Amino acid sequence: MIAFVSGPVAALAPDSAVVEVGGIGIAVQCSPNTLSGLRMGQQTKLATSLVVREDSLTLYGFADDDERGTFELLQTASGVGPRLAQAMLATHSPDALRRAIATGDEKTLTAVPGIGKRGAQKLLLELKDRLGELLGTSTGIGAPVSTGWRDQLHAALIGLGYATREADEAVSAVAPQAEAAEGTPQVGQLLKAALQTLNRAR
């Protein structure tokens, strides 16, 4: 198993990054939360999980070991594959998922694209006691952002290669969504929305 990759970021895309390791470019599938913390040419270290299928080998990357461990535990539930597990972490931090499972919070789970009410109820049953205790330390990339979301989102778009003007327009376009969000907006979700507006504009 490849536990982590470390090296300069050689390329960034909306759903993946390429990290140069020993002269080889390793493609890593990442959530928008993780991608928002990466910059072209800068050193990074991503915790990784290798998913083996008959016709593919896919490496998933995470900001830290807690995200990686949660990603793997989520897949122990029936019907949860790597893409859905990644979508859950793109929407909520590991601690937010632990809290939702511990308190039976269906609403938090149904906020994830691809999870309906029945699916949420099933996950609550299957994942109970599997995700562990709340760590109370999720204040990094995967956690909700209470302040400075504009700056973080702008920096993430610049890191993906967009011009300053494009980044400014995308941030303005998603501002109503951020302000209407319950609680604090998450940079990962806003990055998805911003990329959609940029793709439509091109």
Side-chain angles (χ1 to χ4, degrees), residues 55-81:
D55 58 349
S56 67
L57 295 173
T58 307
L59 198 61
Y60 288 83
F62 307 92
D64 54 39
D65 290 338
D66 185 30
E67 278 196 1
R68 190 256 313 279
T70 303
F71 171 80
E72 293 174 346
L73 284 170
L74 289 172
Q75 292 177 75
T76 64
S78 60
V80 178

Side-chain angles (χ1 to χ4, degrees), residues 14-187:
D15 61 355
S16 65
V18 176
V19 179
E20 184 179 338
V21 181
I24 298 172
I26 305 293
V28 186
Q29 296 292 309
C30 302
S31 72
N33 295 328
T34 300
L35 288 170
S36 69
L38 304 181
R39 300 290 178 269
M40 284 287 293
Q42 291 187 7
Q43 287 287 131
T44 190
K45 182 177 180 180
L46 296 175
T48 57
S49 178
L50 181 64
V51 175
V52 180
R53 296 286 185 264
E54 286 185 9
D55 58 349
S56 67
L57 295 173
T58 307
L59 198 61
Y60 288 83
F62 307 92
D64 54 39
D65 290 338
D66 185 30
E67 278 196 1
R68 190 256 313 279
T70 303
F71 171 80
E72 293 174 346
L73 284 170
L74 289 172
Q75 292 177 75
T76 64
S78 60
V80 178
R83 289 192 179 279
L84 183 56
Q86 190 179 52
M88 293 172 75
L89 285 167
T91 307
H92 302 295
S93 68
D95 256 1
L97 289 171
R98 291 189 191 99
R99 189 175 296 108
I101 298 297
T103 60
D105 184 357
E106 289 180 21
K107 186 177 178 182
T108 292
L109 295 181
T110 55
V112 178
I115 298 180
K117 183 177 177 65
R118 186 172 297 178
Q121 292 172 340
K122 188 177 177 183
L123 287 172
L124 289 173
L125 285 173
E126 292 197 26
L127 292 174
K128 188 172 177 62
D129 301 324
R130 287 195 197 178
L131 296 188
E133 298 294 322
L134 293 174
L135 298 183
T137 57
S138 294
T139 56
I141 291 171
V145 178
S146 57
T147 59
W149 67 264
R150 289 176 182 270
D151 291 340
Q152 292 194 32
L153 177 58
H154 194 276
L157 291 167
I158 296 296
L160 286 170
Y162 289 97
T164 300
R165 178 184 59 79
E166 291 177 308
D168 289 341
E169 291 174 355
V171 170
S172 297
V174 302
Q177 175 182 330
E179 291 162 3
E182 291 184 18
T184 53
Q186 287 191 321
V187 172

